[in-house]
Amino acid sequence: MTIKLIGHPGSGPTLRVSMTLKELGLPYEFEVPADRQAIKTDDFLDNKHPFGKIPVLIDGDFTINESRAICRYLASKYQGKHNATILIPTDVHKAGLASQCISYESFYYDPAITKIVHQEIYAKKLISQCISYESFYSDPPLSKLVQQEISAKKKFNKDPDQEVIKQAREELAKVLDVYEKILEGKEYLNGEFSLADLFHTPSTHYIYSMEAHSKLWDSRPNVKNWWNRLRNRDAIKKVLDEIKS
């Protein structure tokens, strides 16, 4: 059976799923909705996502939405079957700690980055790509940053809110200080690579592309080494290379 991923290639939530599929060595088809209205039809709402969002994954006769749920499903069903990559530890305690770090990403790490990315990237560097990105994007935290850039500068012809950026940087710095301690003596958040690390990758990729903000990672040795390991993983590099082409 062919796995089909419906999403926008450059969106953070879709990248999470693409990276998970690559890490697990799973072949898949990619379907990009024709436009925003394509994910608002009655058929899409009834059969794919009740809120009209992407990504959506179809695996045979099974359909699942929401990126983090999709990734957990894929890991639970396929890890260890096509390669040796384990994304959800089999040990119950290690799995619990991985889920704990996923919560850190969802509630502390990603929201701060989102505010900055919305302000910085999408108006200044990736306007054409991110107009589509904003239309499809379904991750509230990263949306806050993109909204500042697209919504402020593109839609309302306003410059990014520097106060929002300043406050978000302060918030992010505190989060990264905690990560610096968590990563002491570890290659990954729980010692071994897992979904907890992978989930951090899309938003970090976008913000790290801006030199002004990359220093937040580079100034913390453990955090810097962790990010370098993540972005240089073969599966992640392949996905990021694909969205560049």
Side-chain angles (χ1 to χ4, degrees), residues 68 72 97-107 195-196 199:
R68 291 176 178 84
R72 286 186 173 99
L97 292 175
S99 293
Q100 175 179 276
C101 288
I102 288 171
S103 292
Y104 295 163
E105 182 266 338
S106 300
F107 295 105
L195 282 181
F199 284 175

Side-chain angles (χ1 to χ4, degrees), residues 67-111:
S67 65
R68 291 176 178 84
I70 294 170
C71 295
R72 286 186 173 99
Y73 161 75
L74 289 169
S76 296
K77 182 175 180 179
Y78 291 110
Q79 68 178 14
K81 293 187 176 180
H82 294 270
N83 57 30
T85 300
I86 300 296
L87 296 179
I88 299 177
T90 54
D91 177 85
V92 65
H93 294 144
K94 290 181 179 180
L97 292 175
S99 293
Q100 175 179 276
C101 288
I102 288 171
S103 292
Y104 295 163
E105 182 266 338
S106 300
F107 295 105
Y108 309 113
Y109 187 94
D110 192 58

Side-chain angles (χ1 to χ4, degrees), residues 20-21 29 44 95-96 101 132 146 158 189-190 196 206 208 215:
T20 299
L21 288 162
E29 295 178 356
F44 195 94
C101 288
S132 296
V146 176
K158 294 180 180 178
L189 290 170
N190 290 312
Y206 284 119
Y208 193 83
K215 295 176 183 177

Side-chain angles (χ1 to χ4, degrees), residues 188 204 208 217-218 221-233 237:
Y188 295 104
T204 309
Y208 193 83
W217 280 259
D218 291 345
N222 296 332
V223 170
K224 178 182 179 180
N225 291 335
W226 168 66
W227 171 236
N228 283 335
R229 290 188 192 96
L230 282 177
R231 63 178 176 158
N232 285 302
R233 291 183 64 85
K237 285 172 67 176

Side-chain angles (χ1 to χ4, degrees), residues 3 5 17-26 28 57 74:
I3 294 174
L5 173 59
V17 180
S18 298
M19 290 173 180
T20 299
L21 288 162
K22 292 285 190 187
E23 284 285 356
L24 294 171
L26 293 170
Y28 63 99
L57 184 121
L74 289 169

Side-chain angles (χ1 to χ4, degrees), residues 29 62 66 96 104 126 137 168 182 210 216 218 224 234 242-243:
E29 295 178 356
F62 179 70
E66 292 297 310
Y104 295 163
L126 300 173
Y137 199 70
I182 291 174
M210 297 176 286
L216 288 167
D218 291 345
K224 178 182 179 180
D234 288 343
E242 287 172 0
I243 65 172

Side-chain angles (χ1 to χ4, degrees), residues 84-203:
T85 300
I86 300 296
L87 296 179
I88 299 177
T90 54
D91 177 85
V92 65
H93 294 144
K94 290 181 179 180
L97 292 175
S99 293
Q100 175 179 276
C101 288
I102 288 171
S103 292
Y104 295 163
E105 182 266 338
S106 300
F107 295 105
Y108 309 113
Y109 187 94
D110 192 58
I113 291 178
T114 295
K115 295 173 188 175
I116 299 170
V117 173
H118 286 197
Q119 292 291 330
E120 297 281 8
I121 289 187
Y122 294 97
K124 295 178 181 176
K125 294 185 179 180
L126 300 173
I127 285 294
S128 61
Q129 174 183 341
C130 294
I131 290 172
S132 296
Y133 182 90
E134 183 229 14
S135 298
F136 289 122
Y137 199 70
S138 61
D139 191 332
L142 192 51
S143 296
K144 294 176 185 175
L145 282 188
V146 176
Q147 285 164 5
Q148 288 298 326
E149 275 296 346
I150 292 184
S151 298
K153 194 163 185 178
K154 185 69 177 179
K155 291 185 177 179
F156 301 108
N157 196 30
K158 294 180 180 178
D159 290 329
D161 190 329
Q162 295 302 320
E163 185 60 28
V164 170
I165 293 174
K166 178 177 178 293
Q167 291 177 1
R169 279 179 58 87
E170 292 172 354
E171 179 183 344
L172 181 57
K174 292 178 181 178
V175 172
L176 291 176
D177 283 343
V178 174
Y179 273 56
E180 182 71 6
K181 294 179 182 178
I182 291 174
L183 287 161
E184 183 65 39
K186 301 176 185 176
E187 291 191 351
Y188 295 104
L189 290 170
N190 290 312
E192 299 175 350
F193 179 72
S194 72
L195 282 181
D197 304 285
L198 186 150
F199 284 175
H200 288 74
T201 305
S203 58

